Amino acid sequence: MTTTQRTPERVAVVTGGSGGIGGAVARRLAAAGTAVVVHYSGGRARADEVVERITAEGGTAVAARADLADADEAAALFAAAEEHFGGVDVVVNTAGIMLLAPLAEMDLDDFDRMHRINVRGTFVVSRLAARTLRPGGALINFSTSVTRLQQPTYAAYAATKGAVEAMTLILARELRGRDITVNAVAPGPTATPLFLDGKSEQTVERLAAAAPLERLGTPDDIAETVAFLAGPGRWINGQVLYANGGIA
């Protein structure tokens, strides 16, 4: 559902838009006047809530489901953006999962599941973005600050995000002459329900104290970074931005 029938100036597809960070990104882009396709995989109710909040605040949004690792379903997601809003200018790829275990104990089925969603899913969406983004567009993939923190139990997850960084930086060079920026955002510890689930108060306090700003990030912090890359940050291209409050 949308609040208006006019053709928006810019259109964004936000994968994982039903999640904590994805929902904040969708709302922030909508607040800037961008029409948003809020992608979800299994969280239809949460995606609808994001859409309802956007429309209640005067924005324009629609929810759409897809298995992003399935090329046909992902293509249908982009087709929905074309059908509803006439094209795509911004793609924000927040969809991903994190399964933790020491490398020697990591279940290979869990590793394959992360690889399918985090790596293959990002690759499929990035390929579609490269083919469909209009001039002046932006692709923003998601990595993690863990790729340079070397924290135990994160090896498999960090490996998938290292792959995301590699494809992102190369794609930025491959799109020379298209006036399309390609970057990755690498959040640090961010206070989402998924991040906080299962962590003790002491663990949360320790993680919050790690940054010089002495707090956890918020989904809105990450959304502001994305909004900059999606809008005024046109001279930033082929980079990984660590949005983590200064964690080394």
Side-chain angles (χ1 to χ4, degrees), residues 178-243:
R178 292 273 305 279
D179 190 25
I180 294 170
T181 61
V182 185
N183 295 289
V185 173
T190 305
T192 64
L194 180 64
F195 172 81
L196 296 172
D197 184 42
K199 291 183 173 65
S200 68
E201 183 177 345
Q202 292 75 16
T203 297
V204 172
E205 290 176 352
R206 175 177 57 81
L207 291 169
L213 297 178
E214 296 187 328
R215 66 172 177 85
L216 295 177
T218 69
D220 287 342
D221 290 326
I222 310 306
E224 286 295 336
T225 304
V226 171
F228 177 70
L229 292 175
R234 298 300 304 166
W235 198 233
I236 298 175
N237 188 32
Q239 305 297 321
V240 179
L241 270 66
Y242 290 90

Side-chain angles (χ1 to χ4, degrees), residues 1-15 25-39 50-51 54-55 58-63 77-78 80-92 133-134 138 230:
M1 59 183 174
T2 63
T3 58
T4 177
Q5 297 301 312
R6 68 181 177 84
T7 302
E9 292 186 5
R10 284 174 74 78
V11 179
V13 173
V14 179
T15 75
V25 167
R27 295 193 303 272
R28 177 62 181 83
L29 294 178
T34 301
V36 182
V37 177
V38 179
H39 159 265
V50 173
V51 171
I54 287 172
T55 56
T60 304
V62 64
L77 177 67
F78 279 70
E82 178 75 32
E83 176 186 353
H84 285 281
F85 305 124
V88 183
D89 302 285
V90 177
V91 174
V92 186
L133 281 171
R134 296 183 285 207

Side-chain angles (χ1 to χ4, degrees), residues 117-221:
I117 295 172
N118 296 0
V119 180
R120 179 184 169 96
T122 298
F123 187 93
V124 169
V125 171
S126 295
R127 187 173 68 161
L128 285 164
R131 293 175 176 178
T132 61
L133 281 171
R134 296 183 285 207
L139 168 62
I140 300 139
N141 287 326
F142 263 65
S143 181
T144 172
S145 290
V146 172
T147 56
R148 66 178 188 179
L149 296 178
Q150 297 87 46
Q151 292 179 340
T153 76
Y154 282 83
Y157 175 68
T160 67
K161 293 303 188 176
V164 168
E165 291 188 8
M167 73 177 77
T168 299
L169 302 185
I170 292 170
L171 181 57
R173 278 72 185 175
E174 292 179 345
L175 295 185
R176 171 183 291 272
R178 292 273 305 279
D179 190 25
I180 294 170
T181 61
V182 185
N183 295 289
V185 173
T190 305
T192 64
L194 180 64
F195 172 81
L196 296 172
D197 184 42
K199 291 183 173 65
S200 68
E201 183 177 345
Q202 292 75 16
T203 297
V204 172
E205 290 176 352
R206 175 177 57 81
L207 291 169
L213 297 178
E214 296 187 328
R215 66 172 177 85
L216 295 177
T218 69
D220 287 342
D221 290 326

